[in-house]
Amino acid sequence: QGPGVSSLTIDGSATGGSGFAGNTLPSSISISALTVANFPNDGFEFHQANLTLDKVAAVHNGKFGLLIDDGDLAVTASSFASNVSGGISVDMAGARAISISGSTANNNGGIGLDANFLAGTVATLTDSTFNDNAAGGGGFYSGNGATVAITRCSFDRNNPSGASHPGGLTFYADGSAVTIDDSEFADNKSLAGAGIQPTIVNGGTVAITTSRITGNHAAGGGAGLGGGIYLAAASGATAKLSVTDSTVVGNTSDGTGGGIQLEQVGYNLPVAGVEITRTTIDHNSAPEAAGVGIHIWSTNTIAAEPVVYVKDSTISYNTGDDGAAVYAVDSGQSSAGSVIAFLNTTIANNIATNGSGGVALVGTAYPTVYVFAHSTIASNTGTDPSGISIQAHDDARILVSDTIVAGNDGTDIEASAGSQLTINWSLVQKTDPTTAAAIGAGTGNLTGVDPKLGPLDNNGGPTKTMLIAPGSPAYNAGDPAFAGDPATDQRGQARAYQRVDIGAVEWHPALALTGGAPRPEVPLWGMLFLFIGVALVAASRIRKPT
């Protein structure tokens, strides 16, 4: 067993090398309450040693605050600050246990965390901050079979120059499983994925839950990609990115994808997909480019590309050139199975300066399938038709069902000639000739009527929605053959109070505007007995004057 050291400060301003070093497995080294500062190399440097650090600090060193390779690592309540190369460098040669909790890697001249997790490594980052680092908050590679869990961490204000460094967090999930929960990515800069940039290959998975991705900026001299999230690639039979119960708000890009950019989804291989659930994508901007809320570039070449799936979510108040809410490009390599779907989703109040404020579907003659079901697309503003704009998609299929498309600038749905547009049980307020023909060929549609939508507001549930007012023609106007899928509306309330409504929200006569649970209705005779009883009690208490 190695030495135990506590309550000691080592100042290396007059020495060389690193502050504290050890090597040769299977040694186990435990260090507590030790500060190392001003060394020309690393503060703590360990090779082939199992290391436990508690309440240590490494500051103002010439390389990393902590460098370790090929050993287990446990760090608690420690600080790595103002080091030239970065805060923490971890390079695993095999399956190891890595734990960093309650610690900080802040204000370093390089990256906050630089890590290499190979097959079998189990890494956990908990209650830690990687903030204000000049070359990015964190970056890591995780190999086949590795698991990385990031919980209650913050990656804020990193890479202020916006140079070619990570922003908040950049990583590879190479056949590995990465989870990010209850964490924050704010005010970071990068060329791409200023908040988070995952690359998912060989069937890796990335799950982001209950996290906040706000105020990040992709700056690339007009070619920035994904201010909030940039998915560089997702490939492999089980590859999947999921974003759940999160917010992507106030991010910017000087290129495309102010909020989220999905690029090379399923590139050259089948992919399990991208799912965005119960998430708000709001107030993002890409002033000179298209695809602000979500920019999707589909490039799959195999016939098994599954769904990019947005459900129970709200895309609102995003501003940019075209497709301010969603801009989907079929690049000409998609397969017959390529599907982009929106379910129980509200797309509202987005603004485009040179195109569609809502959804722009752009491409050539390739068979992507676009699905809009039980959704509301309303009050979007643009220079072109601002609900759904379908441009040059002669072989694409667009399926619209149980959906409100209304109150947008110009025509609510406009489709290029020859588009395979199918519309059923939907309310489309303003149409063009192609849309009118599709509505006429469909079933149960309403056109030329006002759905009487309320403003985008908190109406219960995790995301803002637009309620239909009493007397709305969308009430009880959905598909009468609706069989209970989805079982709930966007707020999580039960679908089909009587007959399913059109739109993202199901209206209930006893449902408060806050979306609370319906109260049981009191029968009329019960109310009469209640009033009679109150009157009798009141009369019995009247006193005669003395």
Side-chain angles (χ1 to χ4, degrees):
Q1 296 294 317
V5 181
S6 68
S7 302
L8 179 67
T9 297
I10 304 174
D11 191 317
S13 56
T15 67
S18 299
F20 202 94
N23 61 7
T24 308
L25 284 170
S27 63
S28 295
I29 300 172
S30 178
I31 303 173
S32 176
L34 173 65
T35 297
V36 291
N38 302 313
F39 282 86
N41 291 331
D42 303 298
F44 295 94
E45 179 182 349
F46 291 89
H47 306 276
Q48 297 184 327
N50 296 324
L51 178 63
T52 299
L53 301 179
D54 179 56
K55 300 181 183 66
V56 305
V59 295
H60 295 291
N61 296 289
K63 292 186 177 179
F64 280 93
L66 165 65
L67 182 146
I68 181 172
D69 59 63
D70 198 17
D72 293 345
L73 174 66
V75 180
T76 56
S78 295
S79 173
F80 307 90
S82 302
N83 301 287
V84 174
S85 296
I88 302 171
S89 175
V90 180
D91 188 0
M92 294 295 103
R96 293 296 177 187
I98 309 299
S99 173
I100 300 173
S101 65
S103 297
T104 62
N106 300 339
N107 297 293
N108 294 286
I111 193 169
L113 170 69
D114 184 20
N116 182 29
F117 304 130
L118 294 186
T121 296
V122 177
T124 60
L125 310 178
T126 310
D127 297 308
S128 296
T129 66
F130 304 86
N131 299 341
D132 300 292
N133 297 288
F140 64 83
Y141 169 86
S142 53
N144 186 29
T147 61
V148 181
I150 300 171
T151 307
R152 296 184 303 277
C153 291
S154 69
F155 296 80
D156 298 347
R157 302 178 303 277
N158 296 288
N159 191 10
S161 70
S164 56
H165 303 302
L169 180 64
T170 297
F171 61 91
Y172 265 77
D174 185 355
S176 62
V178 178
T179 60
I180 300 171
D181 181 60
D182 194 13
S183 294
E184 180 176 275
F185 303 81
D187 302 311
N188 303 286
K189 291 183 180 180
S190 182
L191 296 175
I196 306 174
Q197 181 183 336
T199 300
I200 308 172
V201 294
N202 295 323
T205 60
V206 175
I208 302 169
T209 57
T210 58
S211 292
R212 299 154 300 283
I213 303 157
T214 61
N216 303 287
H217 180 52
L225 300 171
I229 300 173
Y230 173 59
L231 176 62
S235 64
T238 60
K240 184 176 182 179
L241 168 67
S242 62
V243 182
T244 308
D245 294 315
S246 296
T247 55
V248 183
V249 175
N251 304 284
T252 63
S253 172
D254 65 11
T256 57
I260 298 174
Q261 173 108 3
L262 305 176
E263 190 163 336
Q264 296 186 352
V265 177
Y267 182 66
N268 286 333
L269 287 169
V271 58
V274 176
E275 287 192 6
I276 299 172
T277 307
R278 296 187 301 275
T279 289
T280 296
I281 303 169
D282 180 85
H283 278 97
N284 303 287
S285 67
E288 303 300 326
V292 183
I294 305 175
H295 187 283
I296 303 170
W297 186 37
S298 178
T299 62
N300 184 268
T301 59
I302 304 298
E305 181 185 345
V307 174
V308 174
Y309 197 15
V310 181
K311 57 184 178 179
D312 301 322
S313 296
T314 293
I315 307 172
S316 56
Y317 295 105
N318 300 286
T319 58
D321 181 71
D322 190 12
V326 178
Y327 190 90
V329 180
D330 188 330
S331 65
Q333 300 180 49
S334 292
S335 67
S338 180
V339 179
I340 296 172
F342 298 82
L343 173 69
N344 277 352
T345 289
T346 297
I347 299 173
N349 300 325
N350 301 282
I351 301 172
T353 58
N354 192 35
S356 175
V359 179
L361 309 178
V362 182
T364 52
Y366 295 92
T368 298
V369 179
Y370 297 92
V371 178
F372 301 88
H374 299 282
S375 295
T376 298
I377 304 172
S379 302
N380 299 290
T381 302
T383 59
D384 284 347
S386 297
I388 304 174
S389 176
I390 304 161
Q391 305 167 20
H393 261 286
D394 292 349
D395 283 348
R397 296 178 60 200
I398 297 91
L399 311 178
V400 182
S401 64
D402 297 278
T403 291
I404 293 172
V405 191
N408 304 288
D409 275 4
T411 304
D412 288 306
I413 302 180
E414 181 175 275
S416 61
S419 294
Q420 299 181 39
L421 179 59
T422 302
I423 304 176
N424 292 308
W425 302 106
S426 293
L427 188 157
V428 182
Q429 191 169 5
K430 294 169 288 184
T431 64
D432 75 343
T434 301
T435 309
I439 288 177
T443 303
N445 294 308
L446 301 172
T447 186
V449 294
D450 182 355
K452 297 184 179 180
L453 288 170
L456 188 67
D457 208 347
N458 292 310
N459 297 305
T463 55
K464 290 184 177 181
T465 53
M466 303 175 81
L467 291 180
I468 56 174
S472 168
Y475 177 62
N476 279 354
D479 186 353
F482 173 76
D485 184 19
T488 59
D489 68 1
Q490 183 176 336
R491 301 169 303 170
Q493 297 285 349
R495 272 286 179 191
Y497 158 65
Q498 293 172 336
R499 172 178 150 186
V500 68
D501 297 342
I502 299 174
V505 177
E506 188 75 10
W507 188 82
H508 192 293
L511 197 63
L513 289 179
T514 56
R519 291 174 294 178
E521 297 180 6
V522 181
L524 178 60
W525 58 264
M527 295 296 294
L528 289 174
F529 277 122
L530 176 62
F531 284 122
I532 291 170
V534 170
L536 290 173
V537 171
S540 69
R541 293 184 177 180
I542 297 176
R543 296 184 179 181
K544 296 180 180 180
T546 57

